[in-house]
């Protein structure tokens, strides 16, 4: 693609993602409501659909002041750092056959790297807030990210071994026969668990667990700074859903409908799964969370990789 | 692991369960007659004010939101010249209703008292006094007060 076209496509993609994240907050609140025998927001617009617009307007008009004693530059930098890498990560996602803004050869690695970068935003924001709850949240974020990134990468190595490529388009093309969730069920489950942690979602949202840390790393944030953290979290859900669909659920492949429609439907379904998990599962204790990652998930991911490698080579 | 899947399944089923939410402004809640809402002053069956300005309600009020100023008719009967309730303070505990000897002050099942200014939450006597008899239709204080009850009367029969 030529330069201007790339810029135009990126702008469209970013705008689309912002709207998608907003709509997703509404979908989450409604679905969570029904899962808890409530209705959820149903007042603004038809079925409450415009609730996310109202929320955005509210967040834009709220005061956004750094707390006393905060490191103001870092405090302002952190929210931007939370949203930007995730949006960049979407650059390599293949929405259809040949439909990617930057079809990198190392697409999967790039996307996971961008996911991992958000932890800097969390730690920076926590440190700059000069608040002990925020700092505890930041520490947890760092430890959790190290623990879960390790087997996030390993769990998808099996797929990469079978497909023989890190490029998203090649991985999807390799699933023409059978989706990799059938070939790599253990890898898919491990990847889903790790992506929950990578997107900082319940039950792995220890860094902002409001029951013991007020709001964790974003205790001191309000207004648009808060909204950027929030946006980063919701776009991260969409990004890991897109990754899961690309790696395990056949990407844009599907009968009758055009590729991007299939891709969108699958990403939506995986994102709904995130909401379902949030409604059903309690938050584990911190040491349980870390022990699970290092003592169970990482060995399982290594075993999966070992077996896959054995099968592929043999 | 099995427990996790079980809980996912159980919560997933809730998607098809009926919701418990009541769509309040459209669907009004069914409140009991004894619900403690907006306070009113009621009248006798013959249309007289029941309130005798004894001030017991103002004394018992834990938040001091009732103000009563006594006046006297030519026959020497007391009545409230001013009766003022500040609903910004009222906690709707119902102690005034329990203290009232004449069943004049009563709490009703109306809770929609929201307003834009605090000053408009101060209700004066014309705002409080209703034309009807409230919860005790046949009760007239002067029929039972100050009279000797017949022997073997259950005192509860004299209450409203």
């Amino acid at each position: 693609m030529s330069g201007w076209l790339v810029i135009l496509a990126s702008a469209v993609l970013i705008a689309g993602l912002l709207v998608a994240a907003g709509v997703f907050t509404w979908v989450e609140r409604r679905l969570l409501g029904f899962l808890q025998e409530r209705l959820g927001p149903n007042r603004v617009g038809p079925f409450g659909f415009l609730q996310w617009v109202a929320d955005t307007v509210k967040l834009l008009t709220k005061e956004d002041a750094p707390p006393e004693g905060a490191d103001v530059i870092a405090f302002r930098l952190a929210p931007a750092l939370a949203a930007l890498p995730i949006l960049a990560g979407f650059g390599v996602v293949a929405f259809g056959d040949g439909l990617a803004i930057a079809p990198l050869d190392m697409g999967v690695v790039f996307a996971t790297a961008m996911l991992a970068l958000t932890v800097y935003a969390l730690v920076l924001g926590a440190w700059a807030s000069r608040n002990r709850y925020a700092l505890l949240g930041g520490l947890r974020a760092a430890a959790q990210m190290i623990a879960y990134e390790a087997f996030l990468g390993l769990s998808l190595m099996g797929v990469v071994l079978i497909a023989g490529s890190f490029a998203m388009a090649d991985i999807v093309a390799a699933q023409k026969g059978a989706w990799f969730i059938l070939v790599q069920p253990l890898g898919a489950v491990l990847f889903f668990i790790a992506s929950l942690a990578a997107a900082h979602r319940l039950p792995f949202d220890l860094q902002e667990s409001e029951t013991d840390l007020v709001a964790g790393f974003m205790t001191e944030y309000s207004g648009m700074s808060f909204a950027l953290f929030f946006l980063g979290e919701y776009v991260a859900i969409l990004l890991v859903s897109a990754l899961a669909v690309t790696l395990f659920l056949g990407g844009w492949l599907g009968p009758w409908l055009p590729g991007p429609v299939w891709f969108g439907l699958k990403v939506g379904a995986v994102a709904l799964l995130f909401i379902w998990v949030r409604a059903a599962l309690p938050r584990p204790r911190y040491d349980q969370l870390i022990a699970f990652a290092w003592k169970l998930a990482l060995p399982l991911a290594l075993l999966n990789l070992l077996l896959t490698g054995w099968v592929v080579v043999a | 692991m099995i427990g996790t899947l079980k809980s996912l399944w159980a919560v997933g089923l809730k998607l098809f369960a009926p919701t418990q939410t009541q769509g309040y402004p459209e669907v009004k809640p069914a409140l009991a007659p004894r619900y403690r809402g907006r306070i009113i002053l009621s009248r006798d069956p013959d249309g007289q004010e029941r309130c005798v300005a004894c001030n017991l309600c103002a004394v018992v009020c834990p938040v001091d939101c009732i103000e009563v100023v006594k006046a006297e008719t030519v026959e020497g009967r007391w009545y409230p010249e001013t009766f003022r309730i500040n609903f910004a303070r009222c906690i709707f505990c119902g102690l005034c209703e329990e203290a009232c000897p004449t069943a004049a002050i009563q709490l009703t099942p109306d809770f929609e008292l929201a307003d834009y200014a605090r000053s408009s939450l101060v209700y004066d006597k014309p705002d409080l006094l209703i034309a009807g008899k409230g919860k005790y239709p046949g009760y007239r204080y002067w029929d039972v007060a100050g009279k000797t009850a017949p022997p073997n009367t259950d005192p509860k029969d004299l209450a409203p």
Side-chain angles (χ1 to χ4, degrees):
Chain A
M1 279 196 275
S2 71
W4 286 110
L5 197 59
V6 167
I7 291 174
L8 184 69
S10 307
V12 170
L13 179 65
I14 288 173
L17 283 174
L18 296 186
V19 172
V23 171
F24 186 55
T25 62
W26 171 74
V27 170
E28 167 164 44
R29 291 175 66 186
R30 282 310 312 249
L31 186 63
L32 211 54
F34 284 120
L35 285 169
Q36 295 167 350
E37 301 191 1
R38 300 182 286 115
L39 285 177
N42 63 347
R43 294 283 156 188
V44 195
F47 302 105
F49 177 75
L50 295 177
Q51 183 69 46
W52 66 276
V53 182
D55 286 346
T56 311
V57 172
K58 185 201 77 171
L59 285 169
L60 276 169
T61 51
K62 273 178 93 170
E63 187 187 7
D64 179 12
E68 204 172 308
D71 183 344
V72 177
I73 295 170
F75 189 80
R76 292 290 178 221
L77 197 61
L81 207 55
L84 275 181
I86 305 286
L87 291 171
F90 260 98
V92 296
V93 172
F95 295 94
D97 204 356
L99 264 181
I101 288 178
L104 291 185
D105 292 341
M106 300 292 282
V108 175
V109 176
F110 182 77
T112 48
M114 287 298 130
L115 266 177
L117 268 184
T118 56
V119 75
Y120 286 102
L122 310 194
V123 175
L124 196 63
W127 178 256
S129 294
R130 199 166 185 252
N131 176 316
R132 47 183 76 96
Y133 291 115
L135 192 57
L136 279 171
L139 286 175
R140 287 183 181 188
Q144 180 179 323
M145 204 41 136
I146 292 166
Y148 279 80
E149 278 298 319
F151 81 88
L152 176 80
L154 283 172
S155 64
L156 56 83
M157 273 317 142
V159 167
V160 172
L161 264 180
I162 297 173
S165 168
F166 275 111
M168 298 237 179
D170 294 348
I171 290 173
V172 173
Q175 299 180 63
K176 284 233 164 70
W179 290 0
F180 281 150
I181 193 171
L182 303 173
V183 189
Q184 288 272 318
L186 183 60
V189 170
L190 288 173
F191 179 82
F192 183 70
I193 294 172
S195 59
L196 276 175
H200 317 303
R201 286 288 294 186
L202 270 162
F204 299 130
D205 70 334
L206 268 278
Q207 58 277 76
E208 54 172 292
S209 63
E210 59 279 337
T211 39
D212 50 338
L213 288 188
V214 192
F217 64 94
M218 46 185 187
T219 305
E220 296 288 356
Y221 281 93
S222 63
M224 235 17 225
S225 306
F226 170 80
L228 277 173
F229 272 121
F230 213 64
L231 176 78
E233 187 181 318
Y234 278 83
V235 183
I237 295 167
L238 296 179
L239 180 58
V240 291
S241 301
L243 269 178
V245 166
T246 308
L247 293 169
F248 293 103
L249 297 174
W252 67 79
L253 299 175
W256 309 306
L257 296 170
V261 176
W262 268 116
F263 188 79
L265 286 176
K266 288 174 184 174
V267 169
V270 176
L272 291 185
L273 192 59
F274 273 77
I275 302 174
W276 185 14
V277 167
R278 172 182 176 172
L281 298 185
R283 187 185 292 125
R285 219 172 50 216
Y286 184 56
D287 58 317
Q288 293 169 335
L289 181 90
I290 300 297
F292 172 80
W294 289 118
K295 293 183 183 166
L296 184 67
L298 187 67
L300 277 178
L302 283 170
L303 185 72
N304 184 47
L305 183 59
L306 186 73
L307 291 177
T308 314
W310 183 55
V311 169
V312 167
V313 172
Chain B
M1 192 65 203
I2 300 293
T4 304
L5 294 177
K6 267 187 185 167
S7 117
L8 269 175
W9 176 248
V11 172
L13 283 183
K14 289 284 175 196
L15 200 55
F16 307 102
T19 56
Q20 306 292 323
T21 310
Q22 297 176 355
Y24 157 60
E26 293 90 23
V27 186
K28 300 287 180 195
L31 298 175
R34 296 201 300 177
Y35 187 90
R36 300 200 304 261
R38 183 168 57 89
I39 300 174
I40 50 118
L41 287 174
S42 58
R43 288 179 189 270
D44 270 346
D46 47 1
Q48 299 284 329
E49 281 178 44
R50 275 179 177 154
C51 181
V52 292
C54 67
N55 220 29
L56 282 178
C57 50
V59 167
V60 81
C61 180
V63 291
D64 252 355
C65 70
I66 306 179
E67 183 191 356
V68 186
V69 177
K70 182 197 79 175
E72 214 170 312
T73 62
V74 273
E75 304 100 74
R77 195 168 273 184
W78 287 10
Y79 72 97
E81 193 175 39
T82 311
F83 203 105
R84 191 174 286 151
I85 299 180
N86 183 355
F87 279 105
R89 278 197 170 197
C90 179
I91 57 170
F92 302 98
C93 61
L95 287 182
C96 48
E97 183 175 11
E98 284 181 41
C100 185
T102 65
I105 191 166
Q106 295 177 8
L107 279 76
T108 61
D110 172 20
F111 59 90
E112 291 171 329
L113 289 162
D115 217 316
Y116 289 98
R118 273 180 210 197
S119 54
S120 43
L121 284 170
V122 178
Y123 282 38
D124 272 307
K125 197 175 158 189
D127 310 318
L128 297 167
L129 193 63
I130 63 164
K133 299 170 285 259
K135 284 182 254 187
Y136 309 106
Y139 180 71
R140 190 168 175 277
Y141 172 67
W142 303 107
D143 289 345
V144 289
K147 297 185 177 167
T148 314
N152 302 328
T153 308
D154 186 357
K156 281 185 180 164
D157 293 341
L158 301 176

